Amino acid sequence: MNILLIYPQFPETFWSFSYALRFIGKKAAFPPLGLLTVAALLPAAWSLRLVDVNVDDLTDQDLAWADMAFLSAMAVQRKSTAAIITRCHGKGLTIVAGGPLFTAESDAFRQVDHLVLDEAEVTLPAFIEDKENGCPKKIYRADGYPDIHQTPIPLWRLIRMNRYASLNIQYSRGCPFDCDFCNITSLFGSRPRTKTPSQVLAELDAIYQTGWRGNIFFVDDNFIGNKGSLKKQLLPALIEWRKDKKGCVFFTESSINLADDPELMSLMVDAGFDSVFIGIESPDESSLAECRKVHNKNRNMLLDVKKIHRSGMQVMGGFIVGFDSDTPSIFQRQIDFIQQSGIVTAMVGMLQAPPGTRLFDRLVGERRVCADFSGDNVDGRTNIIPVMGLDLLIDGYRAIMRQIYSPRKYYQRVRSILKDLKVPAATVPIDWQRFLAFFRACLRLGVLGKERFQYWYLLIWTLARRPRMLPLAVTLSIYGYHYRRICELHIF
C-alpha cells in the first residue's frame, strides 16, 4: 500500500513568516508535526511519502505512485486543501482526511472518502483495521481523549529538515481554561494530558541525532496547563538533557499566569526556553469577562509581561478587538498597551467565531455569523457582525496595525524589549545562512527599506547598550519587515 501524506499550503500571513524566511534561505516555518505523527501510526508494511506543499510541489508522479492520499489541515489552509482534494479526486485516489479543519467542518468536504477525525491515536487504528478487512467507514469519531503516553516519535525521515526554520514537538494536549472564542477544549478537552519526560527526551534525541541545532517549538496550546508536572518532572529532565548539548532553543505558548511563578519561569529559562506566546486579548476588563478569559482579569498585565521579559523570555502577544463590550476607545487602548509592554510580536486580530466554540453557537443563534471562519486572525477580516458595526471595527483595526507596525513604533518596542531581556542562556549556533542573513538584512532594511534610519539606529544602539543582543536585534528587524509586508498585503 502506497500512502501519500499531503500538507496543504499556508497563505501569506503573520504566522507564515514567508518574507522573513527568505533572509535565512528557508521554505517554511514549521514541518507538519501532525502528519509526521500519523505516519508513525501507520502499518510498517505500508510505503510512505510526504509532500509538504509549502516546501515542495505536488507532482502528477506523486499522485500516480499513491494508492491513498492522507490530508491534514487547519482552517487557514482551506483554499489549498480544497484544490488538493479536487486534484486527488480527479486522479481517482482514495482520500483520507483528519485534523482541525475536517473535525470542525466535516460536512464541507464531500469528495473525501474517509474522515478520520479527532485524535488519531483513537480513530486511526479503527480505520486501518476496517481498511485491511475491506469495510472502511465514511466517518470515524472518538468517544473520549486518548492517553498520549503511547504516542510514537514522528517520522522525521519523511522530510528534509533543512527546508524549515524550526522543528516542533508536543508535550501536552488540552487546556484548563475555557475561553469563549477558543476551540482547544472542544478538540482536546479541559484536562491537560501530558507525555512522560522519557517520551519527550526520546523525541528530542531523535531530532538531535539528525544534526538539528536550531529552534524547537513546543506546540502545546498551554504549556503550563499542568504546572506540577512541569516543575517536578519535565523541566528538570530538559535541564539535564541540555548539559551536553549545543543549540536547540525552545519556545512555546502559555497563559499569562506564568508571571505568577518565578520558580517556573527560572526553570523554563534554564531548560532552554527563550520565547513564549501569550493570549493577552484585551486590556479591557469587560471584554475579558465577556470572553471568559478569567485568568487575565484583575491583574496588572503590563507588569506581568515585564516580569516574563526580565526572567529571560520574550513575550509574543495575541490581541483581539471587536468584542461586544468594546467601545471605540479600545483601539487606542490596544496601541498604548502594546507600546508600553514592549511586545514586539503583537498579533492583533478582529474577533472571529471558530466552529465548535461557545461564541460560534451563540452568534449563530443571534444570526450574526456571516462568513466562513478564515483561521487567520490578522487578515483584516471577521466572520461575525460586530456590535460596534463592521466599518468602525475595520477602520479601528487598520489604525492599530498602521501604528504598531510603522517603523518608528515597531523599533521603539524592539529597543524596549532589548532593555528588559536577560541575555539568553541558550542560543542557536550561527550557520552559513544565518550569517548571510545579516548582510541581506543590511541591504534590504538598511539600504533599500523605508525603515533604514530606524534599522541603523537600532544596530548602533544595540552595539553600544546590549552588544550580546545584536543577533536578536537583527532577527526582530527581519520579523518587522515581514509583518509590514503582510499588513500591506491584507490591511493597509
Side-chain angles (χ1 to χ4, degrees), residues 153-167:
I153 296 173
L155 286 190
W156 294 110
R157 62 177 174 80
L158 295 180
I159 64 167
R160 286 182 282 182
M161 290 184 175
N162 61 1
R163 298 288 188 93
Y164 299 93
S166 299
L167 296 189

Side-chain angles (χ1 to χ4, degrees), residues 14 17 20 314 316 338-339 342-347 400-418 445 451 454-455 458 472-484 487:
F14 268 42
F17 288 99
Q314 177 190 169
M316 302 173 282
I338 291 165
Q339 289 303 123
I343 293 176
V344 177
T345 300
M347 301 297 189
I400 293 175
M401 301 304 276
R402 275 195 299 269
Q403 286 212 44
I404 67 171
Y405 285 110
S406 68
R408 185 174 66 86
K409 295 277 192 183
Y410 182 82
Y411 280 89
Q412 280 178 355
R413 298 201 305 279
V414 174
R415 292 194 299 275
S416 176
I417 200 171
L418 292 180
L445 309 181
E451 67 270 49
Q454 298 289 344
Y455 176 76
L458 173 66
L472 179 59
V474 174
T475 297
L476 294 177
S477 299
I478 291 171
Y479 287 176
Y481 171 77
H482 166 75
Y483 301 145
R484 283 189 292 280
C487 286

